[in-house]
Every structure is written in C-alpha cells, then in structure tokens.
Amino acid sequence: MTRATRMCPIYKFTRQEAAAPKAKANILRALINGALDDAALYAQTFQTVIDQCVGCGSCRLECPSNVDIPKLALEARARYVRRFGPSRHSRIVTAVEPLGRYGGRFSAMLAPLMKPGLVRQAGEVFTGISRRRPLVTMARQSLFRTVAPVAGTGRKRVLYFSGCYAGYVRPAIGRALVKMLTQRGYTVHTPAQHCCGLPLLTKGMVAAAREKVRRNLGQWRRLLEQVDHIVVTCSSCGLASWRIGPVCWTRPPCGR
Ligand code: SF4
C-alpha cells in the first residue's frame, strides 16, 4: 500500500480498491482520453470512482510522481458536464445563491414540513441528497438587506466578499465582521455579489463558475481599484474566486 493510498480519507473509510488514489488516477485518465463514450457508463464510473474523491489534495502532497488527482477529477467532471449536461443533483446543490436570494422568507416556514421521514426519503430520491443530512435553512433576511452597502467612515477601505454562507445562511457572521471593522476605523464596502463559483466548479460546471467570478469582478471593477484590502469570512469562497477568476484580484496583484 502506498503512502498516498494511506492518506486518502475516502479509501481509509471505505477500504475499497476503487477508492484508492491510484485506481482513481487510472480511471480518470481513461475518461479524459475519451475511452468511455456512453452516458450510462460515464455516470456509473462517476458514482464508483470520481464521487469518491472529495478533492482534499492529500494524495497530491504525497504522490512521488506529482499526479494531481483532484485536478484530473475536476477535468473529468467538466467533460461529463460538457457532453451530457449537469445532473439534477448537481443543479440542486449548486443553487445556494438563488435559494438564498429568493427563498429565504419561505425556508424557515418549509423546514418543519421537510422533517417527516417519508418526505426526507422522497427528497433523497428526487435530489440525491441523503435523508440523514441535517437540513440547511436560509436566513429570513440576507446579509445584504441588513448591512449598508458602505459602512463606516474610516480612511482605510475594504471590500467585503461574504460568500453565500454569511450572505444567506448565517448573516450574523457578516454583520459581526462589518461591526468589528468599522469600530476599528475601516470603511467597509459590501457590494452586490454573486456566488464564488466553487459549488459549480466541484460539480464540473466550469463555464458557469467562471461566469459567476466574471460578473463579480465586472461589477466591482472600480471599487477594486479603490480599496486597500479584500476581506472574506469564508476562505474557500475567497480562494475559489482567486483561482477561477480570469484576472488576479488580490492586493498586491499576483501578476496573473
Ligand atoms: S484528492 Fe481525492 S483521491 Fe486524493 S486523497 Fe483526497 S479524496 Fe483521496
């Protein structure tokens, strides 16, 4: 057993050969090279191999040949989506932004109706989301309705990119950040914003992910030139935007 195999959390849990990084690498190469041409076979392979990669990157750190399995898995997912379109499950789990934007008011009301076992069971069949998974409810009011687009009067200016979690699920996190920064003398800009694109990226919906980042950068263009820092409360959202984006948005610029 290689060290990389020992490091894979999915392999450690399932102990199935198909979940080992080496097996994933071989199958992913076959998928990317076009060896599988049929949607059903593709879907089956995804279920048994690619969906058993959570993209943690442990194997990449350990691999002596530097094989980047998370990247191969992403490429295979992207190919699948380009050829066959996203699955219903992928469409549902990547819809946090519209759900938060338009469904916040109804989310808490609907939550009790979603609890009975039969409803959860039907939901699992329809959405592919496990009935055992705790329900996530959206906040009644999003962060963007409860903080001013510009708060504070300090000389130092920051752009706050909240991401969907602080934006729609736990806006108290964003409010606390704005309060803390304004009390420390910053002017905090919380502009209109879209999802960082990471949920879309993890489901292989690369073009849609890029579009989210492009729209964010497009609407912040002037602001980005004026602020001293960009602040995030979700490190994944910040990192995703930086990595997916067509241009570098960090200060100082990374030269991309
Ligand atoms: S990136 Fe995927 S294959 Fe590699 S260790 Fe993590 S889960 Fe396993």
Side-chain angles (χ1 to χ4, degrees):
M1 194 192 301
T2 64
R3 193 168 154 76
T5 301
R6 289 202 306 272
M7 292 303 292
C8 177
I10 308 296
Y11 177 79
K12 272 202 269 189
F13 182 73
T14 63
R15 294 285 160 191
Q16 286 174 6
E17 202 51 41
K22 196 172 156 192
K24 285 174 194 158
N26 290 337
I27 293 168
L28 288 167
R29 268 195 219 102
L31 283 177
I32 292 167
N33 293 338
L36 288 183
D37 217 19
D38 175 83
L41 270 180
Y42 238 99
Q44 205 183 339
T45 313
F46 265 68
Q47 269 168 21
T48 51
V49 181
I50 303 177
D51 286 345
Q52 297 199 50
C53 175
V54 292
C56 69
S58 296
C59 57
R60 191 176 157 221
L61 294 175
E62 298 294 332
C63 179
S65 316
N66 225 1
V67 178
D68 191 341
I69 293 177
K71 200 167 175 191
L72 287 174
L74 175 62
E75 178 59 33
R77 286 189 181 109
R79 278 191 177 230
Y80 177 87
V81 169
R82 276 202 298 273
R83 292 177 72 172
F84 308 114
S87 66
R88 182 167 56 202
H89 168 78
S90 294
R91 286 185 200 278
I92 291 169
V93 297
T94 56
V96 178
E97 185 188 339
L99 281 175
R101 199 177 285 252
Y102 306 111
R105 251 184 307 158
F106 312 107
S107 179
M109 282 192 285
L110 291 175
L113 304 177
M114 303 297 289
K115 281 196 176 136
L118 264 178
V119 179
R120 301 293 309 262
Q121 212 169 326
E124 180 176 298
V125 173
F126 183 74
T127 64
I129 300 172
S130 169
R131 76 193 83 161
R132 284 172 294 176
R133 198 182 164 87
L135 277 177
V136 176
T137 50
M138 301 291 163
R140 250 184 85 77
Q141 281 203 309
S142 74
L143 174 72
F144 315 106
R145 287 181 176 273
T146 52
V147 296
V150 185
T153 52
R155 214 165 48 81
K156 284 267 183 191
R157 301 168 76 182
V158 299
L159 185 161
Y160 173 36
F161 178 39
S162 69
C164 294
Y165 189 69
Y168 302 111
V169 182
R170 299 280 179 272
I173 296 171
R175 286 196 292 273
L177 178 95
V178 173
K179 189 175 167 193
M180 187 268 286
L181 286 174
T182 50
Q183 283 177 350
R184 277 161 180 72
Y186 286 89
T187 297
V188 183
H189 295 260
T190 310
Q193 45 194 272
H194 293 284
C195 168
C196 65
L198 187 59
L200 294 158
L201 190 68
T202 58
K203 293 295 175 191
M205 298 155 79
V206 178
R210 283 219 175 95
E211 178 60 17
K212 293 280 184 194
V213 180
R214 196 192 61 74
R215 287 168 74 179
N216 274 337
L217 292 173
Q219 61 195 5
W220 303 340
R221 195 165 293 281
R222 285 184 57 195
L223 192 55
L224 280 171
E225 286 162 12
Q226 295 163 3
V227 295
D228 300 287
H229 304 285
I230 297 154
V231 179
V232 295
T233 41
C234 175
S235 48
S236 316
C237 296
L239 189 62
S241 301
W242 172 60
R243 293 200 60 178
I244 305 169
V247 291
C248 174
W249 66 310
T250 60
R251 298 234 169 265
C254 60
R256 192 144 54 97

